[in-house]
């Protein structure tokens, strides 16, 4: 049934070759090799041998090498076409690999730069600086999210630090005012405004207390002066 | 006039400001207190403290590695 063909008879077409769909009585009409006489079936991409869809020649070469059609139809012309196809497929694979290599290099670079920024920001935050912020844009979603997380952490930490500073400033001012009062400066008042309700209340209470003590002292001075006046007038 | 120096290296804010506040009553008018700190918010805190308490922020010198030397006039 099979007929070995003399390579010199080859006219470049598949007309005199054995047809896979004939030999295997194939009914896969959607197979791109079905009914085709232009090129050997192993060079046709997406064939449907054995009820499976195959890829290019390199992808299905193990299957084809075992196939009778491949052995019988392989001649110089087919070999040349096969080498050409292999060469093209290698070239495509090489280009794909180079492209992926470049992508990986870019990803690695972005990862390294992003992590460096995050590392530096965390170092500054850990040293007590909550004002540090880093740009959140990155081509890598993971790095972008990490940067956002670092910035949110710094913001929250900053709010807590600001609050502690506000308390410290308020405390310092109250300490200063009370110290001036103890030295007799009754004009001393707490003046700084605060967005902390407790500090504002403390300011009012402190200032009222100083004013009350001041009034009390003045009243006593007045009474003392009055008493001295009365005594002076009554003593002969 | 002798300048008093307060070394607060290694202290985290707002500790330096509280230290300055404690020292403040002992300072006489026009005397200068020199404070040394390395907390990242040290300068900002001292500026706010001076503003709130009516003191003069005289000068600041960056000594590297985050260390700052500030002079305050009372």
């Amino acid at each position: 049934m099979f007929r070995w063909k003399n390579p010199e008879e080859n006219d470049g077409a598949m007309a005199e070759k054995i047809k896979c769909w004939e030999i295997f009585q194939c009914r896969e009409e959607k197979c791109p090799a079905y009914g085709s006489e232009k090129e050997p079936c192993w060079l046709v991409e997406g064939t449907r041998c054995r009820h499976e869809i195959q890829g290019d020649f390199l992808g299905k070469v193990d299957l084809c090498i075992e196939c009778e059609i491949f052995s019988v139809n392989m001649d110089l012309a087919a070999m040349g076409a096969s080498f050409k196809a292999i060469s093209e497929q290698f070239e495509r694979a090489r280009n794909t690999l180079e492209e992926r290599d470049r992508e990986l290099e870019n990803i690695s670079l972005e990862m390294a730069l992003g992590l460096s920024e995050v590392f530096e920001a965390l170092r500054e935050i850990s040293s007590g600086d909550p004002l540090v912020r880093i740009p959140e844009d990155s081509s890598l979603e993971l790095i972008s999210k990490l940067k956002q997380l670092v910035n949110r952490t710094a913001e929250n930490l900053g709010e807590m630090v600001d609050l502690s500073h506000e308390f410290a400033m308020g405390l310092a001012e109250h300490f200063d005012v009370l110290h001036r009062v103890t030295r007799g400066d009754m004009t001393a008042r707490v003046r700084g405004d605060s967005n902390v309700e407790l500090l504002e209340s403390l300011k009012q209470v402190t200032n009222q207390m100083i004013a009350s003590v001041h009034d009390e002292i003045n009243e006593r001075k007045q009474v003392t002066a009055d008493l001295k006046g009365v005594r002076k007038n009554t003593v002969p | 006039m002798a300048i008093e120096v307060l070394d607060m290296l290694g202290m985290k804010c707002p500790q330096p400001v509280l230290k300055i506040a404690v020292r403040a009553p002992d300072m006489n008018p026009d005397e200068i207190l020199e404070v040394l700190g390395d907390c990242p918010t040290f300068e900002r805190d001292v500026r706010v403290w001076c503003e709130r308490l009516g003191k003069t922020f005289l000068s600041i010198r960056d000594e590297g590695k985050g260390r700052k030397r500030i002079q305050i006039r009372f």
Side-chain angles (χ1 to χ4, degrees), chain A residues 154-169:
Chain A
E155 276 172 27
N156 289 331
L157 208 60
E159 282 178 24
M160 286 188 271
V161 170
D162 283 348
L163 194 62
S164 74
H165 286 194
E166 187 64 29
F167 273 109
M169 292 299 167

Side-chain angles (χ1 to χ4, degrees), chain A residues 108-221:
Chain A
S108 299
L109 182 65
E110 179 63 24
M111 188 100 75
L113 290 174
L115 285 178
S116 297
E117 282 181 283
V118 168
F119 181 80
E120 183 62 18
L122 287 176
R123 194 188 61 75
E124 288 179 40
I125 292 169
S126 69
S127 73
D129 184 4
L131 301 176
V132 61
R133 296 290 182 278
I134 46 177
E136 295 178 357
D137 57 310
S138 171
S139 55
L140 297 178
E141 195 183 357
L142 182 70
I143 294 293
S144 182
K145 295 273 182 199
L146 190 60
K147 287 176 168 184
Q148 286 172 19
L149 202 62
V150 168
N151 283 346
R152 296 299 91 74
T153 304
E155 276 172 27
N156 289 331
L157 208 60
E159 282 178 24
M160 286 188 271
V161 170
D162 283 348
L163 194 62
S164 74
H165 286 194
E166 187 64 29
F167 273 109
M169 292 299 167
L171 197 60
E173 191 178 1
H174 280 79
F175 182 81
D176 179 67
V177 166
L178 290 175
H179 201 271
R180 283 161 57 196
V181 170
T182 58
R183 285 182 171 175
D185 179 4
M186 301 309 288
T187 62
R189 294 290 184 277
V190 180
R191 304 196 188 279
D193 291 326
S194 172
N195 51 13
V196 178
E197 195 180 357
L198 180 66
L199 285 176
E200 277 297 297
S201 297
L202 185 61
K203 179 174 84 174
Q204 286 178 14
V205 169
T206 305
N207 288 343
Q208 281 170 7
M209 183 202 69
I210 296 169
S212 299
V213 170
H214 192 199
D215 292 345
E216 184 71 24
I217 290 171
N218 285 341
E219 276 180 31
R220 288 185 182 218
K221 280 182 180 171

